[in-house]
Amino acid sequence: MKLSALERLDLTDRLDELMRKSAAAKGLDKLDCDDLIDEVMTKLGYGAAKAAPVPPEPEKNDTRPHVVAEFLEGKYDSSEKAKFIDVLDDLTAFVGEYLSFEDVQIGASNWVRQNHPEAA
């Protein structure tokens, strides 16, 4: 809707009046004023643009490397010492991108707890 200059001035005056009234109003009167302010602002073109529709979120495919996924699932918690150390070496390339250092620490703690309970 295209507004003439006079219509814009009238709406701006109305908006100014409603804003003053809203500042002094309380309770339901304030809510009514705020609704009228929204209407006037929409007529002036503020907030009239419709938000772009939000595209549906794509299905999350697990793009983590296989070794990372298995480590986080606890598959290596009961593996032999040499195998576990090899897995830790493999994980160093993925720390910070697919898993955190804390994830590695937790996995190592789980391995120690399961394989050397006296040390845990």
Side-chain angles (χ1 to χ4, degrees), residues 47-63:
K50 293 183 180 177
V54 177
E57 193 170 310
E59 291 183 25
K60 292 184 179 180
N61 295 330
D62 192 4
T63 59

Side-chain angles (χ1 to χ4, degrees), residues 33-65:
C33 286
D34 291 345
D35 287 341
L36 292 173
I37 288 171
D38 288 342
E39 287 177 26
V40 171
M41 289 183 77
T42 301
K43 288 178 184 177
L44 286 169
Y46 299 109
K50 293 183 180 177
V54 177
E57 193 170 310
E59 291 183 25
K60 292 184 179 180
N61 295 330
D62 192 4
T63 59
R64 297 179 298 185

Side-chain angles (χ1 to χ4, degrees), residues 60-120:
K60 292 184 179 180
N61 295 330
D62 192 4
T63 59
R64 297 179 298 185
H66 190 66
V67 69
V68 172
E70 288 179 342
F71 181 80
L72 292 174
E73 291 168 4
K75 180 179 178 193
Y76 301 107
D77 287 354
S78 59
S79 63
E80 294 178 8
K81 179 180 175 182
K83 175 67 175 169
F84 189 74
I85 290 172
D86 289 341
V87 169
L88 290 178
D89 287 339
D90 293 343
L91 290 174
T92 58
F94 305 114
V95 173
E97 186 174 350
Y98 294 104
L99 76 164
S100 68
F101 183 69
E102 185 178 337
D103 293 330
V104 176
Q105 287 178 317
I106 291 169
S109 293
N110 292 340
W111 183 86
V112 168
R113 221 178 284 119
Q114 192 160 5
N115 293 287
H116 301 284
E118 68 280 358

Side-chain angles (χ1 to χ4, degrees), residues 1-33:
M1 174 166 112
K2 188 85 171 165
L3 296 174
S4 69
L6 286 176
E7 289 172 324
R8 288 191 67 76
L9 286 173
D10 286 342
L11 286 172
T12 303
D13 289 342
R14 176 80 175 132
L15 181 62
D16 187 44
E17 172 190 332
L18 287 169
M19 290 181 112
R20 273 193 239 117
K21 192 174 182 182
S22 175
K26 294 189 188 319
L28 292 176
D29 290 333
K30 180 163 181 56
L31 291 175
D32 290 339
C33 286

